[in-house]
Amino acid sequence: MPDAYLYATARTPFGRFGGALSDVRPDDLAATALAGVLAKVPDLDPARIGDVVWGNANGAGEDNRNVGRMAVLLAGLPTSVPATTVNRLCGSSLDAAIMGARAIEAGDAEVVVVGGVESMTRAPWVLPKPSRAFPAGNVTGVSTTLGWRLVNERMPAAWTVSLGEANELLAERFAISRERQDEFAVRSHDLADAAWAAGFYDELVGPVAGVDLARDEGIRPGSSVERLAGLKPSFRTVEQGGTITAANASPLNDGASAVLLAAEDADLGAAPLARVAGRGVHALDPQDFGFAPVEAANKALARAGIGWSDVGAIELNEAFAVQSLACVDAWRVDPELVNTKGGAIAIGHPLGASGTRILATLAHRLVESGERWGVAAICIGVGQALAVVLENAARAG
């Protein structure tokens, strides 16, 4: 069974909600990332692509008609290149990468492009259809930007709390203070800013046509714990013990990312960056979703045949500072291995694009550092998580 290797990555800058990318359709963002990753392997005939697997969490607006296939067509690929769109909420594009790797390992495809997109700005309001024609009362539009919508009344209330309240529960459970969360958030912004200044992202991130945005829009360098301490909690009051603010949680974002996967002997005219060595998926109670990466990563490591002591780089999607800290504490790893190029609190979290964003960052961190093993993990709303172990291709074997 052949191994799947990561050969190239590309993404757009991540824009803030209502920001620089707000006028760009999600299918155009997806096409930009898809074209960008293929530009990294100019010797590859696009007709050789066996499949495109694309992640998207909302799918209620301009991304509703299989946005992966829309990206293929808009990027100018041959119409013979197939594509599918998958939805595992925040983990959608990491799920796409897992599916693409499996297709290569099974021999179903030699080359697969995976990725994801989200425009949280352009996610529409939706109206449920009435049970009878011409209702006389008012109808309420429901935002599809984030979180639960049109909830089934049979769902237990404990399962359907807001994402923020779910993470306040985590803060209580693990006694993670507001100060620790704010410190983590400041670190994310400072490291992201430093990575951009050092040129780390220059080859990973490409422009979006017609948009003047050179780097991730949400990065705020020079902040401080003292400044963040002045912000009001977003989901509970101070009197209720609220710890989560707009600053220590990931923002709403727009963006797309892509990764090219292929077999080791695919002859693409480029050297592989990393091997997909292990995968893990885990689920628990919906309100505990922020803690789910713990076991997802443990499963991925076991399947790769290594342990945490072997890992030299960790990319954990920072949905909230509190859930990131809870996971890092549970793994008992050196926090300095985590998100050394900044995380989602600073860079952003366009839901469907984040999985391949962290996977790509991890691969390039391994190349830069020479470390052999790395883990990418992401929490997923409604109680799930995914993780992937990568092995530096230069050290594989």
Side-chain angles (χ1 to χ4, degrees), residues 303-392:
R303 287 164 184 157
I306 62 170
W308 280 112
S309 61
D310 300 300
V311 173
I314 301 167
E315 284 293 316
L316 173 62
N317 193 59
E318 299 168 356
F320 294 83
V322 64
Q323 61 84 206
S324 300
L325 289 164
C327 293
V328 173
D329 290 349
W331 289 328
R332 298 183 180 180
V333 296
D334 181 356
E336 294 305 310
L337 298 179
V338 180
N339 299 353
T340 61
K341 308 301 182 182
I345 288 174
I347 293 168
H349 180 21
L351 309 177
S354 288
T356 38
R357 196 275 297 173
I358 62 171
L359 192 67
T361 303
L362 179 65
H364 287 278
R365 280 182 60 191
L366 293 176
V367 170
E368 179 187 66
S369 69
E371 294 285 349
R372 182 173 181 180
W373 300 102
V375 176
I378 192 165
C379 68
I380 301 166
V382 202
Q384 299 192 87
L386 290 169
V388 171
V389 173
L390 292 183
E391 182 183 19
N392 187 336

Side-chain angles (χ1 to χ4, degrees), residues 151-161:
V151 180
N152 190 314
E153 63 182 15
R154 295 175 53 235
M155 284 281 187
W159 288 358
T160 61
V161 297

Side-chain angles (χ1 to χ4, degrees), residues 5 37 84 88 143 145 213 240 250 291 312 334:
Y5 282 78
V37 78
T84 188
R88 204 191 286 253
S143 174
T145 296
L213 183 64
Q240 292 170 329
S250 60
F291 197 59
D334 181 356

Side-chain angles (χ1 to χ4, degrees), residues 104-287:
I104 291 166
E105 292 166 0
D108 291 338
E110 183 185 37
V111 180
V112 180
V113 181
V114 301
V117 66
E118 212 73 57
S119 176
M120 300 178 81
T121 299
R122 298 176 72 86
W125 293 278
V126 298
L127 296 176
K129 286 186 175 180
S131 57
R132 59 184 176 81
F134 313 118
N138 296 327
V139 180
T140 301
V142 178
S143 174
T144 63
T145 296
L146 181 69
W148 290 91
R149 73 287 305 249
L150 305 177
V151 180
N152 190 314
E153 63 182 15
R154 295 175 53 235
M155 284 281 187
W159 288 358
T160 61
V161 297
S162 71
L163 303 179
E165 175 59 21
N167 278 274
E168 288 286 13
L169 293 171
L170 272 186
E172 286 182 346
R173 176 179 170 187
F174 294 108
I176 296 174
S177 68
R178 164 78 179 270
E179 184 177 14
R180 278 193 75 193
Q181 295 176 55
D182 287 348
E183 289 173 349
F184 187 85
V186 169
R187 174 183 182 269
S188 183
H189 284 278
D190 287 347
L191 290 176
D193 180 59
W196 270 103
F200 176 82
Y201 286 114
D202 290 353
E203 294 300 316
L204 279 70
V205 181
V208 176
V211 176
D212 183 18
L213 183 64
R215 73 176 203 164
D216 302 309
E217 194 173 15
I219 300 171
R220 299 289 184 266
S223 189
S224 67
V225 174
E226 292 74 25
R227 182 180 299 176
L228 269 56
L231 298 177
K232 292 181 180 180
S234 299
F235 304 98
R236 295 182 180 180
T237 65
V238 173
E239 292 73 23
Q240 292 170 329
T243 63
I244 298 173
T245 71
N248 60 33
S250 60
L252 306 179
N253 296 96
D254 310 326
S257 61
V259 166
L260 182 87
L261 300 174
E264 185 178 17
D265 59 357
D267 189 20
L268 304 184
L273 303 173
R275 179 179 72 92
V276 178
R279 300 174 287 260
V281 59
H282 188 65
L284 30 65
D285 288 349
Q287 70 272 26

